[in-house]
Amino acid sequence: MATGQLFSRQTQALFYNYKQLPIQRMLDFDFLCGRETPSVAGIINPGSEGFQKLFFGLEEIAIPVHSSIEAACNSHPTADVFINFASFRSAAASSMSALRQPTIKVVAIIAEGVPESDTKQLIAYARANNKVVIGPATVGGIQAGAFKIGDTAGTIDNIIHCKLYRPGSVGFVSKSGGMSNELYNTIARVTDGIYEGIAIGGDVFPGSTLSDHVLRFNNIPQVKMMVVLGELGGQDEYSLVEALKEGKVNKPVVAWVSGTCARLFKSEVQFGHAGAKSGGELESAQAKNQALREAGAVVPTSYEALEGAIKETFQELVEEGKIAPVSEVKPPQIPEDLNIAIKSGRVRAPTHIISTISDDRGDEPCYAGVPMSTIVEQGYGVGDVISLLWFKRSLPRYCTKFIEICIMLCADHGPCVSGAHNSIVTARAGKDLVSSLVSGLLTIGPRFGGAIDDAARYFKDAYDRGLTPYEFVEGMKKKGIRVPGIGHRIKSRDNRDKRVQLLQQYAHTHFPSVKYMEYAVQVETYTLSKANNLVLNVDGAIGSLFLDLLSGSGMFNKQEIDEIIEIGYLNGLFVLARSIGLIGHTFDQKRLKQPLYRHPWEDVLYTK
């Protein structure tokens, strides 16, 4: 492996398996370091394409999303780092696919638990093709002031505290990602900081070893000393011992192998990492520390003394003139995300939507303040849900039952009415459910099913002003307006609409007052004297009875009743009900596999 520097200020990566937070942390680090271009060139999300919006400083940018590794590499030939956030189940396959791309030089595998046999294959392929694998089970790595992998070094506050926004003189390598953060802080306190830091991962077979990176650091002129943090278990540290003995490392190495406390336990102990388990005296922390010390590394007597050893080694290099003082720079302020600032109470921002009918922020959704569990446990019906979501209150049961009756009676009126006809024709054209439904709904208006609001509006105005049926009907005639809710193409004095009769019977039995319905019946009596088909239709019955429901329940004031009618609540009831039938007609045509509809010639009057 050896060679030298892996990353630079121009390094760009491909990020596999989209994770918003680690990508945003990489971009924030880029901005902190003063990079001109984002370090994430593209995102790979199998099966997805498009863009993901993220922030690069104050600027919102769109990062391309690709459905495959091959497509991403072809689109971003300068991106040579592959950051793999796949699960342990697919990490090996996707990593191997990335290694086989000629543009990829470094693969970082974040997942823990990758099968050891798969890892060995990755290692063999990488070494045979002069590529680098970091991980599995790694947090990644960082080159100070240039590039970082995913969540390496943690939060921006920690990065600033550890002075990772500009390069120092220390090369650091560790098995542990968590301890890397601790050592970045320690090194920043007693030296000029990190030049590059790598966490190789805690698995038994890491893709690259401690000695691989130490030898690489040895070839980087800007790295003046190395700090190594190993752990008990395995024999990785002994490859570093051999390198030191053979004189392959000519820069100071400060090392410590953690796990010396293992001897205090009576039985063998498995520490946090898969590889942190001593398989004998040779793999103990004490044996490794002693071997490193004898090979020429600076090894303190305890972890607590590690900071002092690093400081002393650094100071010696400064005194020898091998390290020049680093000029400190003030990093730019990373803009704070709005949601974080709002939660902390530092800013306030206007909302874009107001909702008063439902709330999905808690443990369960609420309709007008009523939890979903209550709705189910207390046996609420569709009418009860409509009363909560439309009227923002729990109406009495006779009211919600009336709503349900209206829905049942208006659900369908056969295949010949305009709405059903449109849905049938659309379904037979091979269109989807939503298109077929909408084509039918679009016919609802003043001439078809949309007269409920107008019926309620005109009946209420006439009744409240004390107009007689004669004055009301003749006044509408003078204005050139048909009386909404009166008249039917089929029904007549002698063939009454059964739906109207059922609604009237229910209201007489359950409503405390039916004054508006009685007024509508008086209007019907007058209109029938003019024509046999000018009967009270279902729109007029629902409109007048809803006025009685709203006023008789005692739960709405005059202003609220006027607003309900003006907004279009009652037509909404017809839209909701008729959607049931239109969906039914759509399913019926598709189930029957009906062909494209063509209107017959004989039913068309062709004329000039």
Side-chain angles (χ1 to χ4, degrees):
M1 177 175 162
T3 66
Q5 195 162 303
L6 294 180
F7 315 119
S8 72
R9 288 174 63 85
Q10 286 72 48
T11 296
Q12 285 194 299
L14 296 176
F15 196 104
Y16 188 89
N17 197 17
Y18 176 69
K19 305 288 182 186
Q20 191 269 340
L21 183 57
I23 296 178
Q24 187 58 65
R25 283 180 168 177
M26 288 178 67
L27 297 176
D28 286 345
F29 179 74
D30 296 342
F31 180 74
L32 195 71
C33 298
R35 281 184 58 129
E36 295 182 359
T37 56
S39 61
V40 180
I43 298 166
I44 303 164
N45 240 14
S48 300
E49 290 184 343
F51 294 88
Q52 282 289 350
K53 296 192 299 181
L54 294 125
F55 282 100
F56 184 59
L58 286 169
E59 180 186 1
E60 193 170 25
I61 61 174
I63 296 181
V65 177
H66 305 277
S67 61
S68 69
I69 294 171
E70 293 78 7
C73 291
N74 290 334
S75 298
H76 310 284
T78 59
D80 60 1
V81 177
F82 183 83
I83 302 173
N84 195 346
F85 266 76
S87 71
F88 70 91
R89 289 178 292 272
S90 61
S94 50
S95 296
M96 182 61 80
S97 179
L99 285 171
R100 287 179 175 144
Q101 303 304 311
T103 55
I104 298 299
K105 305 301 181 187
V106 179
V107 172
I109 307 171
I110 309 302
E112 297 182 33
V114 176
E116 292 177 2
S117 59
D118 292 340
T119 302
K120 289 178 180 179
Q121 292 179 24
L122 293 172
I123 295 170
Y125 186 90
R127 292 191 181 280
N129 291 273
N130 197 29
K131 299 192 177 189
V132 178
V133 174
I134 302 173
T138 181
V139 72
I142 185 169
Q143 183 174 319
F147 176 83
K148 89 179 186 87
I149 295 172
D151 292 314
T152 301
T155 65
I156 287 297
D157 287 342
N158 188 64
I159 287 171
I160 293 174
H161 187 71
C162 297
K163 301 179 182 178
L164 294 169
Y165 52 83
R166 53 91 176 135
S169 303
V170 180
F172 171 75
V173 62
S174 167
K175 288 187 175 181
S176 169
M179 287 303 296
S180 292
N181 284 351
E182 181 66 29
L183 265 293
Y184 292 152
N185 185 21
T186 299
I187 292 169
R189 282 200 303 268
V190 296
T191 73
D192 60 5
I194 290 289
Y195 183 81
E196 184 184 320
I198 298 289
I200 65 170
D203 279 2
V204 176
F205 298 101
S208 52
T209 65
L210 298 173
S211 60
D212 285 336
H213 293 286
V214 169
L215 292 172
R216 190 171 56 79
F217 293 157
N218 196 63
N219 295 335
I220 301 175
Q222 296 93 330
V223 174
K224 307 300 182 182
M225 62 175 285
M226 283 83 89
V227 175
V228 179
L229 184 64
E231 63 186 22
L232 84 165
Q235 298 189 22
D236 186 14
E237 289 81 359
Y238 289 105
S239 62
L240 176 56
V241 169
E242 293 304 312
L244 289 168
K245 287 182 176 179
E246 293 171 8
K248 295 179 180 179
V249 181
N250 54 27
K251 298 176 183 179
V253 176
V254 180
W256 176 254
V257 179
S258 58
T260 55
C261 65
R263 287 185 175 177
L264 299 176
F265 297 94
K266 294 181 179 179
S267 59
E268 190 175 58
V269 177
Q270 171 72 61
F271 286 82
H273 295 149
K277 181 178 180 181
S278 178
E281 178 58 28
L282 193 65
E283 295 184 7
S284 68
Q286 285 84 348
K288 291 182 179 182
N289 281 325
Q290 183 61 32
L292 286 166
R293 187 179 294 114
E294 292 174 356
V298 177
V299 181
T301 56
S302 66
Y303 177 79
E304 289 74 14
L306 180 60
E307 180 174 336
I310 295 171
K311 180 178 181 180
E312 183 178 343
T313 302
F314 178 79
Q315 288 298 329
E316 290 176 0
L317 292 171
V318 171
E319 292 170 3
E320 293 170 5
K322 294 180 179 180
I323 295 180
V326 174
S327 57
E328 289 296 339
V329 294
K330 185 177 181 181
Q333 180 71 38
I334 297 292
E336 189 171 28
D337 288 343
L338 182 60
N339 60 334
I340 296 174
I342 291 173
K343 286 181 180 179
S344 63
R346 285 191 289 275
V347 299
R348 58 188 182 187
T351 55
H352 297 90
I353 293 176
I354 301 174
S355 176
T356 64
I357 64 170
S358 62
D359 192 337
D360 60 343
R361 294 171 298 175
D363 294 336
E364 58 180 320
C366 291
Y367 294 166
V370 180
M372 188 61 63
S373 57
T374 300
I375 292 172
V376 174
E377 291 165 2
Q378 296 190 8
Y380 282 34
V382 172
D384 299 292
V385 171
I386 290 173
S387 77
L388 293 173
L389 291 177
W390 290 18
F391 301 103
K392 294 173 55 179
R393 63 204 76 188
S394 290
L395 296 174
R397 182 56 188 155
Y398 77 86
C399 295
T400 59
K401 179 66 176 177
F402 176 75
I403 292 173
E404 292 170 0
I405 291 173
C406 290
I407 291 173
M408 290 187 288
L409 295 179
C410 295
D412 191 50
H413 202 194
C416 298
V417 296
S418 58
H421 180 79
N422 265 24
S423 288
I424 289 170
V425 171
T426 306
R428 290 178 62 167
K431 300 291 284 185
D432 60 277
L433 170 62
V434 174
S435 299
S436 302
L437 171 61
V438 170
S439 69
L441 291 176
L442 287 174
T443 64
I444 296 176
R447 297 182 180 179
F448 171 61
I452 302 177
D453 283 315
D454 284 343
R457 187 178 299 110
Y458 283 112
F459 283 145
K460 183 176 186 300
D461 177 70
Y463 178 87
D464 290 351
R465 289 197 293 133
L467 299 180
T468 65
Y470 169 82
E471 292 170 331
F472 171 49
V473 174
E474 296 303 323
M476 294 287 283
K477 183 178 179 181
K478 289 179 181 179
K479 296 176 184 177
I481 303 174
R482 294 181 179 181
V483 178
I486 294 291
H488 202 285
R489 292 190 62 186
I490 299 174
K491 301 300 178 182
S492 63
R493 182 200 307 270
D494 302 318
N495 180 26
R496 295 301 180 100
D497 191 331
K498 187 65 175 177
R499 297 176 299 173
V500 173
Q501 294 176 334
L502 291 169
L503 290 169
Q504 290 173 331
Q505 290 171 9
Y506 182 84
H508 275 301
T509 305
H510 298 93
F511 282 24
S513 169
V514 289
K515 60 182 182 181
Y516 288 107
M517 185 191 74
E518 290 174 345
Y519 182 74
V521 171
Q522 293 172 19
V523 171
E524 178 193 47
T525 301
Y526 178 74
T527 56
L528 282 173
S529 68
K530 292 177 171 291
N532 200 39
N533 70 328
L534 294 181
V535 294
L536 182 67
N537 59 36
V538 71
D539 289 352
I542 293 175
S544 60
L545 285 171
F546 240 103
L547 290 173
D548 288 323
L549 181 152
L550 296 171
S551 61
S553 67
M555 301 182 71
F556 302 89
N557 58 39
K558 181 180 181 303
Q559 181 181 352
E560 288 175 322
I561 295 173
D562 291 340
E563 185 178 54
I564 287 170
I565 297 170
E566 185 63 31
I567 288 175
Y569 275 52
L570 308 189
N571 280 351
L573 195 64
F574 182 83
V575 170
L576 174 63
R578 190 51 55 94
S579 293
I580 299 171
L582 299 180
I583 291 172
H585 284 296
T586 300
F587 289 157
D588 191 39
Q589 297 303 306
K590 290 185 176 296
R591 182 172 54 248
L592 295 171
K593 298 180 174 59
Q594 289 297 285
L596 179 68
Y597 175 83
R598 192 180 193 278
H599 203 70
W601 288 334
E602 57 268 23
D603 195 38
V604 177
L605 174 62
Y606 294 95
T607 180
K608 295 181 180 178

